Amino acid sequence: MVAKFSANGKRIGRPPKAKPIALSDQDQALAQGLLKNFKNRYDGAGRGRRMASWNAPGSGPNEAINSGLQILRNRSSDAVRNDWSGESIVTKWSTALVGIAITPRFRRIKAKTRKQEINDFWADFVRTADADGVLDVYGMQTLAVRSWAERGEMFARRRHRRLDSGLPQPVQVQLLEADMVPNFDADTYIGLPAGNRIRSGIELDRIGAKVAYWVYKNHPGDGLTGPSVSPAAGDLVRVDAADMLHMFEPKRIGQRRGVPMLAPVLPRQRNIIDYEDVTLERQKIANLFVAFISRQLPSLDETDPDTLAALSGMLAQVDGEGSPLLPMKPGLLQELEDGQKVEFANPPEAGTNYSDYMRTSHLGTAAGGGLPYELMSGDIAGVSDRTLRVIINEFRRFASQRQWQIVIPMFCQRLVEWFADAQLLAGNISEQEAADIKRAEHAPHGWEYIHPVQDVQGKALEVKNGFRSRSSVIGEHGDDPDLVDDERAEDAARERKLGLGVPEGEPSTQQPASDDTDQDEIDNNEYSAPPNPSGVGAQAELRALAQLEAATERMRELFAH
């Protein structure tokens, strides 16, 4: 190709292609290294200027706990004792998860009389189960949940009793705080079987299964030394895993011990308390000053006992440091001398942003504690009923998760199993009945209606349209469907016997068939009369019949005259 040039010597057309620059092997390796850095990645994993101070260790689930678990427990308990937000979080969670009680239902026991007998056995166990003799089983549920929330975990020990102990069943339950099982590791210890090892106070066998717990004989915090990292020989007793229950919320796979619920918000709570105390102390100090006297004249001779105070006209008074004191009286009008003026103190307020700061801070505290701010603080200002319903429903979903994944399987079910074993040992039930009792259904205390009318109407529509059963609605509210139906039948029979009108929807006098012989002790043939008509159509027929009878009676009166 021949290049063309203009009259002034400039090249016409496209310039020739540049020849590729040959790179050395070293330059090519450098270029390839730079290209490798240009790839998709997470900014959170960067090591630039923004992330240079973020040093996150890769500790395992148990190593992260072991480094400061006892300190977390102590600070959490201190926050619960001395900070309203800590006490509120623990109290609200124990109330939400337990309420009045989480009760078992022995639905697999079909015979009505036998079911009542087993329910009576359970009622006796509820009354006498506490080894400390303080609470019943349902009170122990609340205390167990409270201890778990405050200190991160709790234990309970099955205490076997003699058959002649005078108890309704040969077993009791002893609640134990988290400190009763020391968080220590050992490969050799007095009484430790060969091949087993202790990790976090829990004995594991060769395959890692939990076989025992090592428990203090007395609470270590009630002594002079407190909990020890390495308990001395003789301080601990070995308790078989079958006689211990351990309730905690694992946050990581393989985690063996629990962490207090307040752990994520403890620094925040402390800072809020300090800020509130400093603000209060500033207000208290500022309000100590009433007025300030300034003078432009030379100072009076304060050493002269006859010197009069220019402001009050009385003898000057000084404090221990020689500073003048000014007595104040109600309604005092004082004429000042030349060169003197009085300025009254104007203490600063807490600040216009104080309440906003406190509220914003406690929003984070509530969120870290797993509670809606409105429930933790009781502050529902500016919250509509619809918004509140959304908040409460979401919280109840979280609470139900903890009920069915932690409280019921780790605590309630274990107590039912211990109860069944004790009744079998005492000869009160058979092996099959013990197995049926262990498969009990647990019924948490039902949630209160947010809107009683709308909530009930919605559930009634679900039942009417076949979306759910009556038993599920009754059970959701914490009641026993069998007991509710029995009570309804008894109420209906009593009202008919007394000649009272039976409300619409009440059961008829016909009793359902049962595999037992008349267990309710009510004569099914006592009422031979047909049931009172119910329903909208029946009521309309009655009104029409009454009108017809009234018209007939008026016609008879006319013909009689």
Side-chain angles (χ1 to χ4, degrees):
M1 179 179 179
V2 180
K4 296 182 179 179
F5 296 89
S6 62
N8 56 5
K10 292 184 178 181
R11 185 184 180 93
I12 301 174
R14 293 181 298 175
K17 295 182 179 180
K19 296 181 179 180
I21 300 176
L23 298 177
S24 64
D25 295 340
Q26 182 178 1
D27 293 338
Q28 290 181 358
L30 178 61
Q32 291 177 357
L34 293 174
L35 288 175
K36 288 182 179 180
N37 292 329
F38 290 95
K39 60 183 179 180
N40 295 335
R41 65 181 183 181
Y42 290 98
D43 292 342
R47 297 183 179 276
R49 177 175 53 84
R50 290 189 304 164
M51 300 295 177
S53 61
W54 190 348
N55 297 318
S59 304
N62 297 295
E63 180 62 26
I65 295 175
N66 295 339
S67 59
L69 180 58
Q70 191 60 43
I71 297 176
L72 282 176
R73 289 176 186 161
N74 296 339
R75 289 178 176 175
S76 177
S77 294
D78 185 76
V80 173
R81 286 192 298 265
N82 299 302
D83 181 18
W84 70 266
S85 63
E87 171 65 20
S88 178
I89 290 174
V90 171
T91 301
K92 293 297 190 302
W93 268 118
S94 60
T95 302
L97 296 181
V98 177
I100 295 177
I102 300 176
T103 57
R105 296 174 185 162
F106 310 114
R107 300 288 294 273
R108 289 177 174 263
I109 308 299
K110 299 302 182 181
K112 189 173 183 179
T113 302
R114 189 56 178 163
K115 180 187 290 187
Q116 185 58 51
E117 291 176 353
I118 293 176
N119 285 333
D120 291 341
F121 290 150
W122 173 258
D124 293 336
F125 175 73
V126 167
R127 179 174 50 86
T128 60
D130 188 5
D132 294 331
V134 179
L135 301 169
D136 65 3
V137 165
Y138 303 131
M140 294 169 68
Q141 290 176 355
T142 301
L143 183 58
V145 172
R146 181 181 178 88
S147 181
W148 157 44
E150 178 179 329
R151 301 189 69 80
E153 57 185 346
M154 60 79 54
F155 298 87
R157 181 181 179 185
R158 174 168 60 175
R159 306 306 297 262
H160 297 279
R161 305 305 186 198
R162 296 171 57 90
L163 291 175
D164 58 356
S165 62
L167 294 171
Q169 68 288 320
V171 69
Q172 286 185 310
V173 180
Q174 180 184 14
L175 298 183
L176 303 174
E177 275 198 341
D179 308 71
M180 292 293 288
V181 178
N183 187 32
F184 81 109
D185 299 339
D187 292 328
T188 59
Y189 196 80
I190 297 178
L192 180 64
N196 291 1
R197 61 192 187 279
I198 299 175
R199 294 293 181 267
S200 303
I202 305 171
E203 182 180 328
L204 308 176
D205 63 10
R206 298 177 186 272
I207 63 174
K210 299 178 182 178
V211 294
Y213 292 80
W214 290 81
V215 185
Y216 277 111
K217 298 178 181 179
N218 299 294
H219 197 293
D222 289 336
L224 298 177
T225 58
S228 175
V229 177
S230 299
D235 291 345
L236 306 177
V237 294
R238 182 178 184 271
V239 181
D240 192 80
D243 293 330
M244 289 283 290
L245 68 82
H246 182 198
M247 183 168 67
F248 73 105
E249 184 176 21
K251 296 297 184 70
R252 295 181 63 182
I253 298 174
Q255 181 178 333
R256 290 189 290 262
R257 302 298 293 265
V259 179
M261 286 187 184
L262 300 180
V265 297
L266 284 174
R268 172 184 294 272
Q269 286 180 308
R270 191 64 182 178
N271 289 335
I272 295 174
I273 292 175
D274 291 343
Y275 177 77
E276 189 174 12
D277 288 344
V278 168
T279 304
L280 177 61
E281 195 66 24
R282 183 184 67 176
Q283 295 302 108
K284 291 167 64 177
I285 294 175
N287 282 280
L288 293 177
F289 297 96
V290 179
F292 303 93
I293 301 177
S294 59
R295 68 175 78 234
Q296 284 76 34
L297 297 177
S299 300
L300 299 176
D301 187 2
E302 297 171 350
T303 61
D304 185 358
D306 297 330
T307 300
L308 299 180
L311 179 60
S312 63
M314 298 183 295
L315 292 177
Q317 299 181 12
V318 295
D319 58 13
E321 299 179 356
S323 300
L325 299 177
L326 175 63
M328 302 292 291
K329 294 183 179 181
L332 175 65
L333 298 177
Q334 178 62 44
E335 183 177 337
L336 301 180
E337 297 290 341
D338 293 338
Q340 288 186 332
K341 67 177 182 178
V342 175
E343 294 181 357
F344 286 92
N346 185 19
E349 296 181 356
T352 56
N353 61 345
Y354 173 76
S355 59
D356 292 337
Y357 172 80
M358 295 296 292
R359 187 179 188 277
T360 303
S361 298
H362 282 306
L363 283 172
T365 302
L371 287 174
Y373 168 78
E374 291 76 11
L375 292 183
M376 186 198 77
S377 64
D379 179 14
I380 58 174
V383 180
S384 65
D385 58 343
R386 294 186 178 181
T387 303
L388 189 61
R389 176 175 293 192
V390 173
I391 294 172
I392 292 178
N393 286 338
E394 184 62 23
F395 167 69
R396 288 178 176 178
R397 188 180 182 88
F398 184 25
S400 297
Q401 180 189 77
R402 281 181 161 172
Q403 282 178 333
W404 289 101
Q405 296 181 1
I406 298 176
V407 180
I408 291 176
M410 292 185 179
F411 187 85
C412 300
Q413 178 61 26
R414 293 296 303 278
L415 262 61
V416 169
E417 293 172 358
W418 290 349
F419 161 75
D421 291 339
Q423 294 298 331
L424 178 62
L425 181 63
N428 295 329
I429 60 176
S430 64
E431 292 185 4
Q432 182 58 47
E433 287 177 331
D436 292 338
I437 290 173
K438 291 181 180 181
R439 291 179 173 85
E441 297 179 4
H442 296 272
H445 184 205
W447 304 110
E448 296 296 334
Y449 293 126
I450 301 177
H451 195 298
V453 176
Q454 294 179 0
D455 292 350
V456 173
Q457 288 176 344
K459 295 180 186 300
L461 287 174
E462 288 180 337
V463 174
K464 180 179 179 181
N465 291 282
F467 297 149
R468 63 188 306 182
S469 64
R470 284 182 57 257
S471 296
S472 67
V473 175
I474 297 173
E476 186 181 76
H477 203 59
D479 296 321
D480 187 348
D482 294 336
L483 181 59
V484 170
D485 289 342
D486 290 342
E487 291 176 346
R488 291 182 63 206
E490 292 173 2
D491 290 345
R494 182 173 59 254
E495 290 170 354
R496 290 189 179 89
K497 184 176 181 180
L498 297 175
L500 302 176
V502 180
E504 181 178 347
E506 284 299 311
S508 65
T509 54
Q510 296 179 357
Q511 299 296 327
S514 173
D515 59 343
D516 279 349
T517 57
D518 203 14
Q519 297 296 335
D520 54 7
E521 300 181 356
I522 297 177
D523 186 2
N524 296 335
N525 300 320
E526 181 179 356
Y527 303 103
S528 58
N532 292 338
S534 60
V536 178
Q539 297 294 333
E541 292 178 2
L542 287 177
R543 288 194 295 269
L545 182 60
Q547 294 175 359
L548 180 60
E549 291 179 351
T552 303
E553 186 64 27
R554 286 197 298 271
M555 292 178 64
R556 288 176 180 173
E557 293 178 354
L558 290 176
F559 284 115
H561 294 289

